[in-house]
Amino acid sequence: LGNGIKHIVYIQFDNVHYRRDNPNVPSDLEQMPNLLNFLEQNGAFLTNHWTPLISHTSVDILTSLTGDYGDKFGIPIGNSLRYFNPDGTSTAAGSFAYWTDPLDSFGSNPTDTTPEMIDRQGVIHPAPWVPFTRAGCDVGAFSVANIELENTGLDITTVFGVNSPEAAEAKANSDLAAADFDGIAIHCAKGSPLCATNGKPDLLPQEPGGYVGYSALFGNKNVAPQISPNGPVTDLDGNVITDGKGHVGFPAGFDPSASQTLGYLGAMLEHGVPVVYGYIEDAHDDHVNDVAFGPGQAGYVAQLKSFDNAFGKFFARLKNDGIDQTNTLFIITADENDHFAGGPPSPANCDGVTTPCSYAKIGEVDVDLSQLLATEFGEGSPFFVHSDDAPTFYINGNPGQLTALTRRFEHEAGAATVFNPITGNTDVLTQRLADQQEQTLLHMVTADPNRTPNFILFANPDYFLFASGNTAHCVPLSSCSVEEPGFAWNHGDFQPQITNTWLGFAGPGVEKIGVTGAFFSDHTDIRPTLMSLAGLTDDYSHDGRVLIEIMTDGVVPATLQQHRATFSRLASIYKAINAPLGPVGMTSLQHATAAIDGSDGAYLAFLSELKAFTIERNTIAGQMIQMLEASEFGGAPFNDIAAQVESTLGQVVLSSVP
């Protein structure tokens, strides 16, 4: 690979925070000094780093893997999807599914065969492992969304075939099949000895430029014999990795501990897999007893300590193998930051480390929107949501954006109030609303229009919302709200405490600048920066840009080395107008909410203005990213004058959000 890189280690956490959720309690990363110090001392640790919208595990990981927003790969709205059927009803579909699955991956006989990972051309989005395998590198994955098998249903038949022994095992014993085949994969370069035994054709029939003659290993049953020939793969503490149900293989529930993920990645690296991707569970939930921890609670602190120990062992083990920041690119980030929904700690001055915290009230507030809207407004029309802190509304019949039914639902959602059993207050539930036009601006409308909800409700982050279909009235109204102690951390919403996360780069070509929040980045920028550092190119365009601010002079693309300041200015304005969490996205979301809540006449005028603005924004942002990518990956000389013109146009967009 380029710039002296011999290995790439990519790790994405589910909710590990750099910020403090309680000012007295050290943050997650502060309690993981083996990781935090490694990133701060050996590379760049970016704190002004953001997710896409909706901010969720699947969307965040896939955005990071591809460098595109969800509207370009088909999954912009959460860890599960709904889609409209021709009759106007809606159906649930999973957003965790293998890369080449059709959309309806919950059943073995899908009713909607549109690609799960659909791009703007209506075909499967290019796969992230392809540039590496084409360059001769095997790519390993452990629990990373959609580049290995995610279920024992359609994923099994998609890869192995309907009449395969693997499909028969899945029917006979789904738990065993999950341990054997889910969550783990190695995508092999041509001629790789790892795939010589048990390799299956790695089928990407719609990949640009073709992808014929490549193989892959799917699941622990096929991967483990190649990377651990003397016995089962173990975690960093020497424990055999199991599903917790007696089966050797992938951990059940896709919640691997740091020791399990890092142990498996270490085994891959040590047996010739130079590029590895891994995912690690959140530390703020008790994954054994299925209850939530609060900041500074003893179990939470203990899990963070185990994470810290795992990273200490991981870095030491790799260094002993000759794998370290001198020859290996480390990229580590986190999905969305969860918001803690719970009461105050006891004692009030607890720090978690010397004085454990306890919580009398802990848990999100669950609200059934079907009952709430029926109770407060008499709403009886059927609808479904993707259950979330930011639920997506699918109204039966799929009424248009301007119909009386849609407008009624939007007004009801905007006016709904709820009782908070944690604080004792009555809260306005909705903080933002996004209709279909606003979703278009925020990169949430895909090439498959049936996936687009009628509108999205971004709620007070203390609440988790669902719709049961039960329209019985809540008597009293406060009974519509229930504190749920099993879950206390909400995400999916738009608030900075949820969407502002962190990103660390360390390795060849990365400047040792430590902690910085000097410039905005989001998950789309990870992929192009990785590709540039590795000296590779994707066979598609990105929404993100190369973070040359963290690169040493000799590693910045030659076309940009004399233009760093101008490039950075253009890139900054591009992100400001195009990123969902940038100024244009957040201002438009605020204005859209006010317009949706207003009169029909004012709303109609706003829609017309927003549509025209979105077209203008897309045109200018498209010109900008084309110029950026041409110099980043195409070898085109960077034109300072043209960049200044585009920057000026971008400033006009920034100042004219309707």
Side-chain angles (χ1 to χ4, degrees), residues 252-312:
F254 282 82
D255 284 320
S257 69
S259 183
Q260 290 172 327
T261 295
L262 299 177
Y264 217 103
L265 296 187
M268 286 182 174
L269 289 162
E270 290 165 344
H271 289 81
V273 182
V275 180
V276 296
Y277 287 82
Y279 165 85
I280 297 173
E281 67 185 359
D282 65 74
H284 57 52
D285 287 325
D286 182 342
H287 298 283
V288 176
N289 300 304
D290 289 329
V291 295
F293 293 130
Q297 206 165 340
Y300 193 170
V301 172
Q303 287 193 161
L304 289 171
K305 182 61 177 176
S306 73
F307 281 24
D308 184 49
N309 290 338
F311 273 95

Side-chain angles (χ1 to χ4, degrees), residues 244-591:
K245 302 177 182 179
H247 305 117
V248 174
F250 186 70
F254 282 82
D255 284 320
S257 69
S259 183
Q260 290 172 327
T261 295
L262 299 177
Y264 217 103
L265 296 187
M268 286 182 174
L269 289 162
E270 290 165 344
H271 289 81
V273 182
V275 180
V276 296
Y277 287 82
Y279 165 85
I280 297 173
E281 67 185 359
D282 65 74
H284 57 52
D285 287 325
D286 182 342
H287 298 283
V288 176
N289 300 304
D290 289 329
V291 295
F293 293 130
Q297 206 165 340
Y300 193 170
V301 172
Q303 287 193 161
L304 289 171
K305 182 61 177 176
S306 73
F307 281 24
D308 184 49
N309 290 338
F311 273 95
K313 293 175 182 178
F314 182 63
F315 291 134
R317 174 174 167 177
L318 294 190
K319 189 172 184 64
N320 189 57
D321 295 327
I323 301 172
D324 62 18
Q325 66 274 13
T326 65
N327 56 28
T328 302
L329 179 62
F330 292 88
I331 304 173
I332 305 177
T333 189
D335 299 340
E336 71 287 337
N337 279 335
D338 280 3
H339 162 78
F340 175 62
S346 179
N349 63 345
C350 64
D351 63 6
V353 179
T354 59
T355 305
C357 301
S358 62
Y359 293 83
K361 290 189 175 183
I362 184 170
E364 67 194 15
V365 182
D366 287 359
V367 175
D368 184 347
L369 289 167
S370 298
Q371 285 194 285
L372 182 70
L373 298 186
T375 302
E376 290 196 327
F377 307 103
E379 184 58 68
S381 295
F383 68 99
F384 293 90
V385 301
H386 159 231
S387 302
D388 195 57
D389 183 32
T392 54
F393 274 68
Y394 293 81
I395 305 169
N396 273 29
N398 193 12
Q401 185 167 261
L402 296 174
T403 62
L405 183 58
T406 300
R407 294 289 290 138
R408 187 177 81 212
F409 264 96
E410 290 172 338
H411 282 141
E412 291 169 355
T417 59
V418 286
F419 174 74
N420 189 324
I422 296 176
T423 64
N425 298 328
T426 296
D427 297 330
V428 175
L429 182 64
T430 300
Q431 296 191 351
R432 295 288 186 274
L433 290 167
D435 60 10
Q436 292 178 342
Q437 187 59 55
E438 179 64 16
Q439 292 172 54
T440 300
L441 184 136
L442 296 173
H443 302 291
M444 301 174 77
V445 175
T446 72
D448 177 9
N450 294 325
R451 303 184 197 190
T452 306
N454 300 108
F455 66 94
I456 302 173
L457 184 166
F458 293 93
N460 178 313
D462 284 340
Y463 293 87
F464 183 85
L465 309 174
F466 64 98
S468 68
N470 177 13
T471 56
H473 288 196
C474 302
V475 182
L477 179 61
S478 60
S479 65
C480 275
S481 309
V482 179
E483 185 180 6
E484 172 50 67
F487 301 92
W489 298 85
N490 277 337
H491 55 255
D493 227 319
F494 74 97
Q495 294 87 352
Q497 62 178 287
I498 291 173
T499 54
N500 182 196
T501 183
W502 54 272
L503 168 66
F505 272 85
V510 179
E511 195 77 61
K512 294 181 181 180
I513 58 178
V515 179
T516 180
F519 55 90
F520 177 104
S521 64
D522 71 7
H523 283 346
T524 62
D525 302 322
I526 298 173
R527 177 68 176 192
T529 305
L530 163 59
M531 289 289 99
S532 182
L533 286 167
L536 300 175
T537 57
D538 277 313
D539 49 25
Y540 62 92
S541 61
H542 307 110
D543 284 328
R545 57 89 164 197
V546 175
L547 300 172
I548 67 169
E549 293 87 348
I550 69 169
M551 301 166 89
T552 57
D553 287 338
V555 169
V556 174
T559 53
L560 298 174
Q561 288 182 6
Q562 303 303 314
H563 308 274
R564 291 183 70 143
T566 309
F567 174 92
S568 293
R569 173 173 167 76
L570 177 62
S572 175
I573 296 175
Y574 165 72
K575 299 300 294 192
I577 69 171
N578 198 56
L581 274 301
V584 165
M586 288 298 92
T587 300
S588 69
L589 182 58
Q590 180 180 8
H591 293 176

Side-chain angles (χ1 to χ4, degrees), residues 604-626:
L604 187 62
F606 173 81
L607 277 184
S608 177
E609 190 176 359
L610 182 60
K611 182 177 181 179
F613 174 82
T614 302
I615 293 171
E616 179 185 13
R617 190 283 305 268
N618 289 349
T619 299
I620 294 172
Q623 293 168 180
M624 288 179 171
I625 194 60
Q626 184 176 8

Side-chain angles (χ1 to χ4, degrees), residues 66-137:
T66 62
D68 281 336
Y69 295 118
D71 61 345
K72 287 188 178 177
F73 58 73
I75 304 176
I77 47 175
N79 289 345
S80 63
L81 296 170
R82 297 197 72 89
Y83 62 91
F84 281 112
N85 300 306
D87 64 358
T89 60
S90 65
T91 300
S95 60
F96 290 109
Y98 184 60
W99 205 269
T100 58
D101 270 1
L103 174 63
D104 185 6
S105 58
F106 276 7
S108 58
N109 297 303
T111 58
D112 189 327
T113 57
T114 305
E116 176 96 11
M117 301 293 299
I118 192 172
D119 73 0
R120 282 300 191 196
Q121 287 67 50
V123 299
I124 299 169
H125 189 285
W129 61 84
V130 167
F132 298 107
T133 54
R134 283 177 175 166
C137 297

